[in-house]
Amino acid sequence: MTVGRVAELADVSVRTLHHYDEISLVKPSARTATGYRAYSAADVERLREVLGYRRLGFGLREIATLVDDPATDAVAHLRRLRGLLREQRDRTAAMVAAIDKELESRVIGVRTAPEDQLKMFGAQLYESIGSAYPATRRTEPRIAARIWEALGDARTVLNVGAGTGSYEPTDRKVTAVEPSAIMRAQRPAEAAPCVAASAEQLPFPDRSFDAAMAVSTVHHWPDPLAGLREMRRVARRVVVFIYDAGTTGWLERFWLTRDYLPEFAGLLADWPSLADMTRAIEGQAEPVLIPWDCADGFFEAHWRRPEAYLDEHVRRAVSVWTRVGPQAEQRAVDSLRDDLSSGRWADRNRDLIALDTAELGLRLLVA
């Protein structure tokens, strides 16, 4: 394709393309029949990656480093770009929710505190949900026992996406990795040392640890499979607590997604299959049943306590609610509240009342 045609399709100026050529970021390598320089298919693919990173706010030097990485192919770039765009979407959704809340306050004459007005512009997803973690997200001892048993005889453990430190075993030497400054700040003083890094680029040599663990975090990673392979690289044993969205009828397993929040399916539309994630660590998957009185307030935890989902503090500590957006959240909450009042929820889910545990798609991957 000619320079002019590429500029038209990509909605950039010819001058921009010439600049990319001059700094050797994207150089057209083909020739037209009349001898003019043109873009080959490979050139267009590289330009697509450059423009994707550029529109996410990366500088040209950073972009050059990213696209020239010999360990990253086109598929990996697409996954990374998709992850970054999803993070941007999540951040935008959190900002919209904050603005909606302030608009509601303004209607009744209440002004938002200056600190809260500024927070909406600096926060990523975890920053918008992280403050609720201490109240509703903590170690569930029965799930912890499964995770710690799976760690086997490991003495050194890397906790990837460690958050505030839930599920970290106290009888082993733990190193934590957590990209969110808000989550790192909430780790207890006695918690394991924590490194600011992402799962996809763990700053450790091969086989640095006896085991690597990740608990309820993989869905936040821009590239889950890359992160899982990194865990396998740095540890001889891998344990991951994760959600399976690949089984037939998975959306019907949980009454909340089945009857009130079908938007949940869209959040995991391109989620890697359980088989792919298991292969990434060369391991196997084991089901994890959720106790009815689960102490950790993750999304499915209140399956026998539906009134908990009416509590905004519970919802704010779960990223699903921020990601589906305020309209879907409000509709789901209103519908659930009505069904609890009318008895319809109890009629639909009477079989749950006698259960002590439920199989809702949580899995433990072990390698």
Side-chain angles (χ1 to χ4, degrees):
M1 286 193 286
T2 64
V3 174
R5 180 58 175 158
V6 169
E8 177 186 0
L9 290 172
D11 193 24
V12 297
S13 67
V14 171
R15 182 178 180 180
T16 294
L17 296 180
H18 285 322
H19 180 61
Y20 290 169
D21 183 4
E22 290 169 3
I23 64 175
S24 299
L25 185 59
V26 183
K27 297 182 73 67
S29 60
R31 293 280 179 178
T32 66
T34 54
Y36 289 100
R37 300 184 70 182
Y39 290 82
S40 68
D43 299 334
V44 169
E45 188 173 89
R46 181 180 174 92
L47 178 62
R48 186 269 314 281
E49 293 162 2
V50 167
L51 294 177
Y53 289 122
R54 191 76 181 107
R55 287 168 185 174
L56 280 164
F58 285 82
L60 294 181
R61 289 184 180 179
E62 294 176 293
I63 293 172
T65 300
L66 288 169
V67 297
D68 287 331
D69 181 0
T72 307
D73 59 14
V75 172
H77 278 299
L78 286 173
R79 288 188 179 278
R80 180 188 288 163
L81 284 168
R82 182 181 180 279
L84 291 168
L85 286 166
R86 286 181 62 180
E87 181 180 302
Q88 186 180 71
R89 179 197 64 190
D90 292 339
R91 186 187 305 116
T92 301
M95 288 173 61
V96 169
I99 290 171
D100 286 344
K101 187 175 181 179
E102 180 169 352
L103 287 171
E104 292 172 2
S105 298
R106 294 275 179 145
V107 168
I108 61 175
V110 177
R111 292 184 66 87
T112 305
E115 294 86 351
D116 292 332
Q117 293 179 31
L118 293 175
K119 284 179 182 177
M120 73 175 69
F121 292 101
Q124 293 185 9
L125 178 60
Y126 259 154
E127 274 65 10
S128 66
I129 67 175
S131 60
Y133 264 64
T136 63
R137 301 298 299 272
R138 46 190 176 271
T139 300
E140 162 50 52
R142 287 156 290 192
I143 294 176
R146 291 282 306 276
I147 294 170
W148 297 343
E149 180 183 11
L151 291 173
D153 61 356
R155 302 306 306 163
T156 58
V157 178
L158 179 69
N159 187 16
V160 182
T164 59
S166 298
Y167 298 97
E168 290 178 359
T170 58
D171 60 341
R172 312 173 197 233
K173 183 179 180 181
V174 177
T175 300
V177 167
E178 171 54 52
S180 167
I182 291 294
M183 301 300 279
R184 293 197 303 272
Q186 294 183 77
R187 291 176 62 81
E190 67 276 10
C194 190
V195 176
S198 65
E200 295 86 351
Q201 293 182 311
L202 296 174
F204 307 105
D206 295 357
R207 296 293 186 268
S208 299
F209 301 91
D210 295 333
M213 60 183 279
V215 179
S216 298
T217 179
V218 175
H219 56 287
H220 289 296
W221 300 355
D223 190 341
L225 296 182
L228 291 171
R229 286 192 288 265
E230 272 288 88
M231 292 178 68
R232 189 59 172 158
R233 178 184 66 79
V234 302
R236 62 177 179 81
R237 190 170 186 81
V238 177
V239 179
V240 182
F241 184 52
I242 206 166
Y243 182 77
D244 172 20
T247 305
T248 302
W250 65 273
L251 195 64
E252 307 296 313
R253 279 186 305 227
F254 186 23
W255 56 262
L256 183 56
T257 55
R258 181 192 66 210
D259 301 330
Y260 303 99
L261 202 65
E263 291 86 354
F264 183 64
L267 303 183
L268 300 177
D270 298 316
W271 183 243
S273 69
L274 184 67
D276 285 342
M277 291 188 285
T278 304
R279 278 194 292 270
I281 64 168
E282 304 173 47
Q284 60 185 12
E286 306 169 1
V288 178
L289 302 183
I290 305 174
W292 77 269
D293 56 349
C294 183
D296 188 349
F298 51 75
F299 184 57
E300 300 84 2
H302 306 287
W303 60 270
R304 215 183 84 176
R305 297 168 287 168
E307 64 283 348
Y309 295 105
L310 304 181
D311 186 340
E312 186 172 356
H313 291 92
V314 170
R315 299 197 305 275
R316 291 286 67 79
V318 178
S319 63
V320 168
W321 296 103
T322 299
R323 294 175 64 190
V324 297
Q327 291 184 337
E329 177 181 1
Q330 193 61 56
R331 189 209 64 243
V333 170
D334 289 345
S335 297
L336 176 58
R337 181 182 291 109
D338 290 344
D339 285 353
L340 288 172
S341 298
S342 68
R344 189 180 184 194
W345 183 91
D347 290 339
R348 279 179 170 175
N349 301 284
R350 61 179 67 254
D351 293 343
L352 298 180
I353 305 303
L355 299 179
D356 290 329
T357 59
E359 204 293 273
L360 295 177
L362 279 299
R363 299 288 181 266
L364 198 64
L365 308 188
V366 182

